Amino acid sequence: MLEPDPKVVRELLTRYASLRIAHAERQRPATARELADVSYTLCVMMATTGVHEAVAKADALLLAKGGTAPQAPPAEVNGESGLSLAV
């Protein structure tokens, strides 16, 4: 299996995080579509079926390639936990 380019993975994670914030601040159809597209792309790139697993795999990939480790596990927010988004 081919391994995704860490730079592309980092860009996707950054875009995903930005869109999540934008969508939480103001829910708009355009933002929702972009978020869905980025989520899908991240899932395909990380060979997963869910965005939470894709983010976890992306974080692990970046950490393995010399990225920085998260300081502490994130607190559960809105029913989501374990999304460190190492960007």
Side-chain angles (χ1 to χ4, degrees):
M1 182 170 127
L2 293 175
E3 186 173 276
D5 181 356
K7 289 180 183 179
V8 175
V9 172
R10 184 175 300 280
E11 289 173 10
L12 275 174
L13 284 175
T14 300
R15 186 72 182 137
Y16 174 78
S18 298
L19 287 167
R20 288 284 311 256
I21 291 167
H23 190 65
E25 288 176 348
R26 183 172 176 211
Q27 294 184 6
R28 298 180 342 182
T31 306
R33 276 191 307 276
E34 287 182 65
L35 181 58
D37 288 346
V38 170
S39 297
Y40 175 79
T41 303
L42 193 55
C43 287
V44 169
M45 185 170 287
M46 301 312 299
T48 65
T49 57
V51 72
H52 295 103
E53 184 182 3
V55 169
K57 280 188 164 186
D59 283 344
L61 174 74
L62 293 177
L63 290 172
K65 295 297 179 180
T68 57
Q71 296 297 327
E76 187 169 329
V77 178
N78 293 330
E80 296 180 9
S81 62
L83 296 178
S84 64
L85 296 176
V87 291

Coordinates of all heavy atoms in Angstrom, one line a residue:
M1 N 0.8 -1.2 0.0 CA 0.0 0.0 0.0 C 0.9 1.2 0.0 O 1.9 1.3 0.7 CB -0.9 0.0 1.2 CG -1.8 1.2 1.3 SD -3.0 0.9 2.6 CE -2.8 2.5 3.5
L2 N 0.5 2.2 -0.8 CA 1.2 3.5 -0.8 C 1.0 4.3 0.4 O -0.2 4.3 0.9 CB 0.8 4.3 -2.1 CG 1.2 3.7 -3.4 CD1 0.6 4.5 -4.5 CD2 2.7 3.6 -3.6
E3 N 2.0 5.0 0.9 CA 1.8 5.9 2.0 C 1.6 7.3 1.6 O 2.3 7.8 0.7 CB 3.1 5.8 2.9 CG 3.0 6.5 4.2 CD 4.2 6.3 5.1 OE1 4.2 5.2 5.8 OE2 5.1 7.1 5.0
P4 N 0.6 8.0 2.1 CA 0.3 9.4 1.7 C 1.5 10.3 2.1 O 2.2 10.1 3.1 CB -0.9 9.7 2.6 CG -1.5 8.5 3.1 CD -0.3 7.5 3.2
D5 N 1.6 11.3 1.3 CA 2.7 12.3 1.6 C 2.3 13.1 2.8 O 1.2 13.7 2.9 CB 2.7 13.3 0.4 CG 3.7 14.4 0.5 OD1 4.4 14.5 1.5 OD2 3.9 15.2 -0.5
P6 N 3.2 13.1 3.8 CA 2.9 13.8 5.1 C 2.5 15.3 4.9 O 1.6 15.8 5.6 CB 4.2 13.7 5.9 CG 4.8 12.5 5.4 CD 4.5 12.5 3.9
K7 N 3.1 16.0 3.9 CA 2.7 17.4 3.6 C 1.2 17.5 3.2 O 0.5 18.4 3.7 CB 3.6 18.0 2.6 CG 5.0 18.2 3.0 CD 5.8 18.8 1.9 CE 7.3 19.0 2.3 NZ 8.1 19.5 1.2
V8 N 0.8 16.6 2.4 CA -0.6 16.6 1.9 C -1.5 16.3 3.1 O -2.6 16.9 3.3 CB -0.8 15.7 0.7 CG1 -2.3 15.6 0.3 CG2 0.1 16.1 -0.4
V9 N -1.1 15.3 3.9 CA -1.9 14.9 5.1 C -2.1 16.1 6.0 O -3.1 16.4 6.5 CB -1.3 13.7 5.8 CG1 -2.0 13.4 7.1 CG2 -1.4 12.5 4.8
R10 N -0.9 16.8 6.3 CA -1.0 17.9 7.2 C -1.9 19.0 6.6 O -2.7 19.6 7.4 CB 0.4 18.5 7.4 CG 0.5 19.6 8.4 CD 1.9 20.1 8.7 NE 2.7 19.1 9.2 CZ 2.7 18.7 10.5 NH1 1.8 19.2 11.4 NH2 3.5 17.7 11.0
E11 N -1.8 19.3 5.3 CA -2.7 20.3 4.7 C -4.2 19.9 4.9 O -5.0 20.7 5.2 CB -2.4 20.4 3.2 CG -1.1 21.1 3.0 CD -0.7 21.1 1.5 OE1 -1.5 20.8 0.7 OE2 0.5 21.5 1.2
L12 N -4.5 18.6 4.6 CA -5.9 18.1 4.8 C -6.4 18.3 6.2 O -7.5 18.7 6.5 CB -6.0 16.7 4.3 CG -6.2 16.4 2.9 CD1 -6.2 14.9 2.6 CD2 -7.5 17.0 2.4
L13 N -5.5 17.9 7.2 CA -5.9 18.0 8.6 C -6.1 19.5 9.0 O -7.1 19.8 9.7 CB -4.8 17.4 9.5 CG -4.8 15.9 9.6 CD1 -3.6 15.5 10.4 CD2 -6.1 15.4 10.2
T14 N -5.3 20.4 8.5 CA -5.4 21.8 8.7 C -6.7 22.3 8.1 O -7.5 23.0 8.8 CB -4.3 22.6 8.1 OG1 -3.1 22.1 8.7 CG2 -4.4 24.1 8.4
R15 N -7.0 21.9 6.9 CA -8.3 22.3 6.2 C -9.5 21.8 7.0 O -10.5 22.5 7.2 CB -8.3 21.8 4.8 CG -9.4 22.3 4.0 CD -9.3 23.8 3.7 NE -10.5 24.2 2.9 CZ -11.1 25.4 3.2 NH1 -10.7 26.2 4.1 NH2 -12.2 25.7 2.5
Y16 N -9.4 20.5 7.4 CA -10.5 19.9 8.1 C -10.8 20.6 9.4 O -11.9 20.9 9.7 CB -10.1 18.4 8.4 CG -11.1 17.7 9.3 CD1 -12.3 17.2 8.8 CD2 -10.9 17.5 10.6 CE1 -13.3 16.6 9.6 CE2 -11.8 16.8 11.4 CZ -13.0 16.4 10.9 OH -13.9 15.8 11.7
A17 N -9.7 20.9 10.2 CA -9.9 21.6 11.4 C -10.5 23.0 11.2 O -11.4 23.5 11.9 CB -8.6 21.7 12.2
S18 N -10.0 23.7 10.2 CA -10.5 25.1 9.9 C -12.0 25.0 9.5 O -12.8 25.9 9.9 CB -9.7 25.7 8.7 OG -8.4 25.9 9.1
L19 N -12.3 24.1 8.7 CA -13.7 23.9 8.3 C -14.6 23.5 9.4 O -15.8 24.0 9.5 CB -13.9 22.9 7.1 CG -13.4 23.5 5.8 CD1 -13.2 22.3 4.8 CD2 -14.3 24.6 5.3
R20 N -14.1 22.7 10.3 CA -14.9 22.3 11.5 C -15.2 23.5 12.4 O -16.3 23.7 12.8 CB -14.2 21.3 12.4 CG -14.1 19.9 11.8 CD -15.4 19.1 12.0 NE -15.9 19.2 13.3 CZ -15.9 18.3 14.2 NH1 -15.3 17.1 14.0 NH2 -16.4 18.5 15.4
I21 N -14.2 24.4 12.5 CA -14.4 25.6 13.3 C -15.4 26.5 12.6 O -16.3 27.1 13.2 CB -13.1 26.3 13.6 CG1 -12.2 25.5 14.5 CG2 -13.3 27.7 14.1 CD1 -10.7 25.9 14.6
A22 N -15.2 26.7 11.3 CA -16.1 27.6 10.6 C -17.5 27.1 10.6 O -18.4 27.9 10.7 CB -15.6 27.7 9.1
H23 N -17.7 25.8 10.5 CA -19.0 25.3 10.5 C -19.7 25.4 11.8 O -20.9 25.6 11.9 CB -19.0 23.8 10.0 CG -20.3 23.2 9.8 ND1 -21.2 23.6 8.7 CD2 -21.0 22.2 10.4 CE1 -22.3 23.0 8.8 NE2 -22.2 22.1 9.7
A24 N -18.9 25.2 12.9 CA -19.4 25.4 14.2 C -19.8 26.8 14.5 O -20.8 27.1 15.2 CB -18.4 24.9 15.3
E25 N -19.1 27.8 14.0 CA -19.4 29.2 14.2 C -20.6 29.6 13.4 O -21.4 30.4 13.9 CB -18.2 30.0 13.8 CG -17.0 29.9 14.8 CD -15.8 30.7 14.4 OE1 -15.7 31.2 13.2 OE2 -14.9 30.8 15.2
R26 N -20.7 29.2 12.2 CA -21.8 29.6 11.3 C -22.1 28.5 10.3 O -21.3 28.3 9.4 CB -21.5 30.9 10.6 CG -22.6 31.4 9.8 CD -22.3 32.8 9.3 NE -23.4 33.2 8.4 CZ -23.3 33.9 7.4 NH1 -22.1 34.4 7.1 NH2 -24.3 34.3 6.6
Q27 N -23.2 27.8 10.5 CA -23.5 26.7 9.6 C -24.0 27.2 8.3 O -25.1 27.8 8.3 CB -24.5 25.7 10.3 CG -23.9 25.0 11.5 CD -24.9 24.0 12.1 OE1 -25.9 23.8 11.6 NE2 -24.5 23.5 13.2
R28 N -23.3 26.9 7.3 CA -23.7 27.4 5.9 C -23.6 26.1 5.0 O -22.7 25.3 5.2 CB -22.8 28.5 5.4 CG -22.8 29.7 6.2 CD -22.0 30.8 5.6 NE -21.0 30.2 4.7 CZ -20.0 30.9 4.1 NH1 -19.9 32.2 4.3 NH2 -19.1 30.3 3.3
P29 N -24.4 26.1 4.0 CA -24.4 24.9 3.1 C -23.0 24.8 2.4 O -22.5 23.7 2.2 CB -25.5 25.2 2.0 CG -26.4 26.1 2.8 CD -25.6 26.9 3.7
A30 N -22.4 25.9 2.0 CA -21.1 25.8 1.3 C -20.0 25.2 2.2 O -19.2 24.4 1.8 CB -20.7 27.2 0.8
T31 N -20.0 25.6 3.5 CA -19.0 25.1 4.4 C -19.3 23.7 4.7 O -18.3 22.9 4.8 CB -19.1 25.9 5.8 OG1 -18.9 27.3 5.5 CG2 -18.0 25.5 6.7
A32 N -20.5 23.3 4.8 CA -20.9 21.9 5.0 C -20.4 21.0 3.9 O -19.9 19.9 4.1 CB -22.4 21.7 5.2
R33 N -20.6 21.5 2.6 CA -20.1 20.7 1.5 C -18.6 20.6 1.5 O -18.1 19.5 1.2 CB -20.6 21.4 0.2 CG -22.0 21.1 -0.3 CD -22.3 21.6 -1.7 NE -22.0 23.0 -1.9 CZ -22.8 24.0 -1.6 NH1 -24.0 23.7 -1.1 NH2 -22.5 25.2 -1.8
E34 N -17.9 21.7 1.8 CA -16.4 21.6 1.8 C -16.0 20.7 2.9 O -15.0 19.9 2.7 CB -15.9 23.0 2.0 CG -15.9 24.0 0.9 CD -15.3 25.3 1.2 OE1 -14.1 25.3 1.4 OE2 -16.0 26.3 1.3
L35 N -16.6 20.7 4.0 CA -16.2 19.9 5.1 C -16.5 18.4 4.7 O -15.6 17.5 5.0 CB -17.0 20.2 6.4 CG -16.7 19.4 7.6 CD1 -15.3 19.4 8.0 CD2 -17.6 19.9 8.8
A36 N -17.6 18.1 4.1 CA -17.8 16.7 3.6 C -16.8 16.3 2.6 O -16.3 15.1 2.7 CB -19.2 16.7 3.0
D37 N -16.4 17.2 1.7 CA -15.4 16.8 0.7 C -14.0 16.6 1.3 O -13.4 15.6 1.0 CB -15.3 18.0 -0.3 CG -16.4 18.1 -1.3 OD1 -17.3 17.1 -1.3 OD2 -16.5 19.1 -1.9
V38 N -13.6 17.4 2.2 CA -12.3 17.2 2.9 C -12.4 15.9 3.8 O -11.4 15.2 3.8 CB -12.0 18.5 3.8 CG1 -10.8 18.2 4.6 CG2 -11.7 19.6 2.8
S39 N -13.5 15.7 4.4 CA -13.6 14.5 5.3 C -13.5 13.3 4.4 O -12.8 12.3 4.7 CB -14.9 14.5 6.0 OG -15.0 15.6 6.9
Y40 N -14.2 13.3 3.2 CA -14.1 12.1 2.3 C -12.7 11.9 1.8 O -12.2 10.8 1.8 CB -15.1 12.4 1.2 CG -15.0 11.3 0.1 CD1 -15.6 10.1 0.2 CD2 -14.3 11.5 -1.1 CE1 -15.5 9.1 -0.7 CE2 -14.2 10.6 -2.0 CZ -14.8 9.3 -1.9 OH -14.7 8.4 -2.8
T41 N -12.1 13.0 1.4 CA -10.7 12.9 0.9 C -9.7 12.3 1.9 O -8.9 11.5 1.7 CB -10.2 14.3 0.4 OG1 -11.1 14.7 -0.6 CG2 -8.8 14.2 -0.2
L42 N -9.9 12.8 3.2 CA -9.1 12.3 4.3 C -9.3 10.8 4.5 O -8.4 10.1 4.7 CB -9.4 13.1 5.5 CG -8.4 13.0 6.7 CD1 -7.0 13.3 6.3 CD2 -8.9 14.0 7.8
C43 N -10.6 10.4 4.4 CA -10.9 9.0 4.6 C -10.3 8.1 3.5 O -9.7 7.1 3.8 CB -12.4 8.8 4.6 SG -13.2 9.3 6.2
V44 N -10.4 8.6 2.3 CA -9.8 7.9 1.2 C -8.3 7.8 1.3 O -7.7 6.7 1.1 CB -10.2 8.5 -0.2 CG1 -9.4 7.9 -1.3 CG2 -11.7 8.3 -0.4
M45 N -7.7 8.9 1.6 CA -6.2 9.0 1.7 C -5.7 8.1 2.8 O -4.6 7.4 2.6 CB -5.8 10.4 1.9 CG -4.2 10.5 1.9 SD -3.7 12.2 1.9 CE -4.2 12.7 0.2
M46 N -6.4 8.0 3.9 CA -6.0 7.2 5.0 C -6.6 5.8 5.0 O -6.4 5.0 5.9 CB -6.3 7.9 6.4 CG -5.7 9.3 6.5 SD -3.9 9.4 6.1 CE -3.2 8.3 7.3
A47 N -7.3 5.4 4.0 CA -7.9 4.1 3.8 C -8.8 3.7 5.0 O -8.7 2.6 5.6 CB -6.9 3.0 3.6
T48 N -9.7 4.6 5.3 CA -10.7 4.4 6.4 C -12.1 4.7 5.9 O -12.3 5.3 4.8 CB -10.4 5.3 7.6 OG1 -10.6 6.7 7.2 CG2 -9.0 5.1 8.1
T49 N -13.1 4.3 6.7 CA -14.5 4.6 6.3 C -15.1 5.7 7.2 O -16.2 6.1 6.9 CB -15.3 3.3 6.5 OG1 -15.2 2.8 7.8 CG2 -14.9 2.3 5.5
G50 N -14.4 6.1 8.2 CA -14.9 7.2 9.1 C -13.8 8.3 9.4 O -12.6 8.0 9.4
V51 N -14.3 9.5 9.5 CA -13.3 10.6 9.6 C -12.6 10.6 10.9 O -11.4 10.9 11.0 CB -14.1 12.0 9.4 CG1 -15.0 12.3 10.6 CG2 -13.1 13.1 9.2
H52 N -13.2 10.0 12.0 CA -12.5 10.0 13.3 C -11.3 9.0 13.2 O -10.2 9.4 13.6 CB -13.4 9.5 14.4 CG -14.5 10.5 14.7 ND1 -15.8 10.3 14.2 CD2 -14.5 11.7 15.3 CE1 -16.5 11.4 14.6 NE2 -15.7 12.2 15.2
E53 N -11.5 7.9 12.5 CA -10.4 7.0 12.3 C -9.3 7.6 11.4 O -8.1 7.4 11.6 CB -10.9 5.6 11.8 CG -9.8 4.6 11.6 CD -10.4 3.3 11.0 OE1 -11.6 3.2 10.6 OE2 -9.6 2.3 10.9
A54 N -9.8 8.3 10.4 CA -8.9 8.9 9.4 C -8.0 9.9 10.1 O -6.8 10.0 9.8 CB -9.6 9.6 8.3
V55 N -8.6 10.7 11.0 CA -7.8 11.7 11.7 C -6.8 11.1 12.6 O -5.6 11.5 12.7 CB -8.7 12.7 12.5 CG1 -7.9 13.5 13.5 CG2 -9.5 13.5 11.5
A56 N -7.2 10.0 13.3 CA -6.3 9.3 14.2 C -5.1 8.7 13.4 O -3.9 8.8 13.8 CB -7.0 8.2 14.9
K57 N -5.4 8.1 12.2 CA -4.3 7.5 11.4 C -3.4 8.6 10.8 O -2.2 8.4 10.7 CB -4.9 6.7 10.2 CG -5.4 5.3 10.6 CD -5.7 4.6 9.3 CE -5.8 3.1 9.6 NZ -6.0 2.3 8.4
A58 N -4.0 9.7 10.4 CA -3.2 10.9 9.9 C -2.3 11.4 11.0 O -1.1 11.7 10.8 CB -4.2 12.0 9.4
D59 N -2.8 11.5 12.2 CA -2.0 12.0 13.4 C -0.8 11.0 13.6 O 0.3 11.4 13.8 CB -2.8 12.0 14.7 CG -3.7 13.3 14.7 OD1 -3.4 14.2 13.9 OD2 -4.6 13.3 15.6
A60 N -1.1 9.7 13.5 CA -0.1 8.7 13.7 C 1.0 8.8 12.6 O 2.2 8.6 12.9 CB -0.7 7.3 13.8
L61 N 0.5 9.0 11.4 CA 1.5 9.1 10.3 C 2.4 10.3 10.5 O 3.6 10.2 10.3 CB 0.7 9.2 9.0 CG 1.6 9.5 7.8 CD1 2.3 8.3 7.3 CD2 0.7 10.0 6.6
L62 N 1.8 11.4 10.9 CA 2.6 12.6 11.1 C 3.6 12.4 12.2 O 4.7 12.9 12.2 CB 1.7 13.8 11.3 CG 0.9 14.2 10.0 CD1 0.0 15.4 10.4 CD2 1.8 14.5 8.9
L63 N 3.1 11.8 13.3 CA 4.0 11.6 14.4 C 5.2 10.6 14.0 O 6.3 10.8 14.4 CB 3.2 11.0 15.6 CG 2.3 12.0 16.3 CD1 1.4 11.2 17.3 CD2 3.0 13.1 16.9
A64 N 4.9 9.6 13.3 CA 5.9 8.7 12.8 C 6.9 9.3 11.9 O 8.1 8.9 11.8 CB 5.2 7.5 12.1
K65 N 6.5 10.3 11.2 CA 7.3 11.0 10.2 C 8.1 12.2 10.8 O 8.6 13.1 10.1 CB 6.5 11.5 9.0 CG 6.0 10.4 8.2 CD 7.1 9.5 7.6 CE 6.6 8.4 6.8 NZ 7.6 7.6 6.2
G66 N 8.0 12.3 12.2 CA 8.8 13.4 12.8 C 8.0 14.6 13.2 O 8.5 15.6 13.5
G67 N 6.7 14.5 13.2 CA 5.8 15.6 13.7 C 5.9 15.7 15.2 O 6.5 14.9 15.8
T68 N 5.2 16.7 15.7 CA 5.2 16.9 17.1 C 4.0 16.1 17.7 O 2.9 16.0 17.1 CB 5.0 18.3 17.5 OG1 3.9 18.8 16.9 CG2 6.2 19.1 17.0
A69 N 4.2 15.5 18.9 CA 3.2 14.8 19.6 C 2.3 15.8 20.3 O 2.7 16.8 20.8 CB 3.8 13.8 20.6
P70 N 1.0 15.4 20.4 CA 0.1 16.3 21.2 C 0.5 16.3 22.6 O 1.0 15.3 23.2 CB -1.3 15.6 21.0 CG -1.1 14.6 20.0 CD 0.3 14.3 19.8
Q71 N 0.3 17.4 23.3 CA 0.7 17.5 24.7 C -0.1 16.6 25.6 O 0.4 16.0 26.5 CB 0.6 19.0 25.2 CG 1.6 19.9 24.4 CD 3.0 19.5 24.6 OE1 3.4 19.1 25.7 NE2 3.8 19.7 23.6
A72 N -1.4 16.6 25.4 CA -2.3 15.9 26.3 C -3.5 15.4 25.5 O -3.8 16.1 24.5 CB -2.8 16.7 27.5
P73 N -4.2 14.3 25.8 CA -5.3 14.0 25.0 C -6.4 15.0 25.2 O -6.6 15.6 26.3 CB -5.8 12.6 25.7 CG -5.0 12.5 26.9 CD -3.8 13.4 26.9
P74 N -7.1 15.3 24.1 CA -8.2 16.3 24.2 C -9.3 15.9 25.0 O -9.6 14.7 25.0 CB -8.5 16.5 22.7 CG -8.2 15.3 22.0 CD -7.0 14.7 22.8
A75 N -10.0 16.8 25.6 CA -11.2 16.5 26.4 C -12.3 16.2 25.4 O -12.3 16.7 24.3 CB -11.6 17.7 27.3
E76 N -13.3 15.5 25.8 CA -14.4 15.2 25.0 C -15.3 16.4 24.8 O -15.7 17.1 25.8 CB -15.3 14.0 25.6 CG -16.3 13.6 24.7 CD -17.0 12.3 25.2 OE1 -16.3 11.5 25.8 OE2 -18.2 12.2 24.9
V77 N -15.6 16.8 23.6 CA -16.4 17.9 23.3 C -17.4 17.5 22.2 O -17.1 16.9 21.2 CB -15.5 19.0 22.7 CG1 -16.3 20.2 22.3 CG2 -14.4 19.4 23.6
N78 N -18.6 17.8 22.5 CA -19.7 17.4 21.6 C -19.7 16.0 21.3 O -20.0 15.6 20.1 CB -19.7 18.3 20.3 CG -20.0 19.7 20.6 OD1 -20.7 20.1 21.5 ND2 -19.4 20.6 19.8
G79 N -19.4 15.1 22.2 CA -19.4 13.7 21.9 C -18.2 13.2 21.2 O -18.2 12.0 20.8
E80 N -17.2 14.0 20.9 CA -16.1 13.6 20.1 C -14.8 13.7 21.0 O -14.6 14.6 21.7 CB -15.9 14.5 18.9 CG -17.0 14.4 17.9 CD -16.8 15.3 16.7 OE1 -15.7 15.8 16.6 OE2 -17.7 15.4 15.9
S81 N -14.1 12.6 21.0 CA -12.8 12.6 21.7 C -11.8 11.9 20.9 O -12.1 11.2 20.0 CB -13.0 11.9 23.1 OG -13.3 10.6 22.8
G82 N -10.5 12.1 21.2 CA -9.4 11.5 20.5 C -9.0 12.1 19.2 O -8.3 11.5 18.5
L83 N -9.5 13.3 18.9 CA -9.2 14.0 17.7 C -8.1 15.0 18.0 O -8.4 16.1 18.3 CB -10.4 14.6 17.1 CG -11.5 13.7 16.6 CD1 -12.7 14.6 16.1 CD2 -11.0 12.8 15.6
S84 N -6.8 14.6 17.9 CA -5.8 15.5 18.3 C -5.5 16.5 17.2 O -5.0 17.6 17.5 CB -4.5 14.7 18.7 OG -4.0 14.0 17.6
L85 N -5.7 16.2 15.9 CA -5.5 17.1 14.8 C -4.1 17.7 14.9 O -3.9 18.9 15.0 CB -6.5 18.2 14.7 CG -7.9 17.7 14.5 CD1 -8.9 18.9 14.5 CD2 -8.1 17.1 13.1
A86 N -3.1 16.8 14.9 CA -1.7 17.3 15.0 C -1.3 18.1 13.8 O -0.8 17.5 12.8 CB -0.8 16.1 15.2
V87 N -1.6 19.4 13.8 CA -1.3 20.2 12.6 C -0.4 21.3 13.0 O -0.2 21.8 14.0 CB -2.6 20.8 12.0 CG1 -3.4 19.8 11.4 CG2 -3.4 21.6 13.0

